[in-house]
Amino acid sequence: AQSVTQLGSHVSVSEGALVLLRCNYSSSVPPYLFWYVQYPNQGLQLLLKYTSAATLVKGINGFEAEFKKSETSFHLTKPSAHMSDAAEYFCAVSSRGGADGLTFGKGTHLIIQP
Amino acid sequence: KAGVTQTPRYLIKTRGQQVTLSCSPISGHRSVSWYQQTPGQGLQFLFEYFSETQRNKGNFPGRFSGRQFSNSRSEMNVSTLELGDSALYLCASSLSPASYEQYFGPGTRLTVT
């Protein structure tokens, strides 16, 4: 079984400040990990993915995430927030082979203060 | 390359009715997965189809079913609709089940009254 916990249903940062969205996972097998972003009335867009290559993963729009096996974490960061980053962010885990599909966290709503 | 398309985008149905949602994957993608998104339960995996066969199924009642056609297009059906079925239904496609990257469509917003 696999699960994802996202700490903080809402995170508010000032424009230009560091963005840190937290994700912890549980998986009985080595996982694949993902971050998706969802804008209002839209589907999910893949930001970045971890698939057992480099532990520091760079994605689109300046986001990156670091896989830490010892902490079972995959936190998402961006050095400088932009107003256009305001959206819902989802962390997801998949077992290799995808037997159970993607398991998502509850999501974190990122608010950017001007 | 066109993305994942879902039709219709919005749907209003009455309790007890049934509904069919459609998903066309990215060209060349053969695996289609369906997810339900609600404010209370979040995003939940419904099922996955590959080569016209259901490969995996989430924890949903038998009222939820789906199928995949030879051109990889997929439909999902919900029978005997309940108020709690109101949700955004998202379809995602990938090259194959072993391909970990899933690309999502815009979703179908189903409202049950």
Side-chain angles (χ1 to χ4, degrees), chain B residues 48-69:
Chain B
E48 178 190 14
Y49 285 87
F50 176 71
S51 292
E52 303 178 61
T53 301
Q54 186 180 91
R55 184 171 173 268
N56 297 306
K57 183 176 170 63
N59 188 26
F60 279 83
R63 299 185 297 107
F64 291 81
S65 63
R67 60 178 176 169
Q68 187 181 34
F69 302 95

Side-chain angles (χ1 to χ4, degrees), chain A residues 36 38 43 49 97-99 102, chain B residues 35 37 55-56 100-102 105:
Chain A
Y36 283 88
Q38 186 177 35
K49 60 187 182 289
L102 286 169
Chain B
Y35 294 84
Q37 185 178 24
R55 184 171 173 268
N56 297 306
Y100 44 78
E101 283 194 39
Q102 294 191 19

